[in-house]
Amino acid sequence: VSSADGAPIADALVSVSAAGVDHLARTDSTGAARLLGIAPGAVTLRVRRVGFAAGSARGEVRRGDNEMAITVRGSTVTLE
């Protein structure tokens, strides 16, 4: 997971929905998250982190190791 300027985003919540099951992980300091036990097939990847707009992407998981990259943009919230 990276920002629009290419910087890795640490501690983002990554969820992958596959076959009706949500798999969750947090990104490390390099912006990477490892999710295990996801069955091959179509998936939806979602990313959330304070200070950034939520991001999502659809993809296909195949047998073996898979990688998906997602870029999220900064988001400003005004508190009153």
Side-chain angles (χ1 to χ4, degrees):
V1 178
S2 61
S3 64
D5 65 2
I9 299 175
D11 202 35
L13 178 63
V14 177
S15 65
V16 173
S17 298
V21 178
D22 286 335
H23 302 266
L24 304 172
R26 292 263 179 201
T27 57
D28 62 18
S29 62
T30 68
R34 185 172 176 98
L35 296 112
L36 303 173
I38 300 172
V43 298
T44 301
L45 175 107
R46 291 184 177 86
V47 176
R48 295 182 61 107
R49 176 71 166 96
V50 171
F52 294 89
S56 66
R58 293 184 182 268
E60 186 79 19
V61 171
R62 296 189 172 86
R63 292 198 183 277
D65 291 340
N66 292 265
E67 289 187 20
M68 291 179 73
I70 190 165
T71 300
V72 293
R73 58 183 165 71
S75 176
T76 303
V77 175
T78 302
L79 301 177
E80 296 181 20

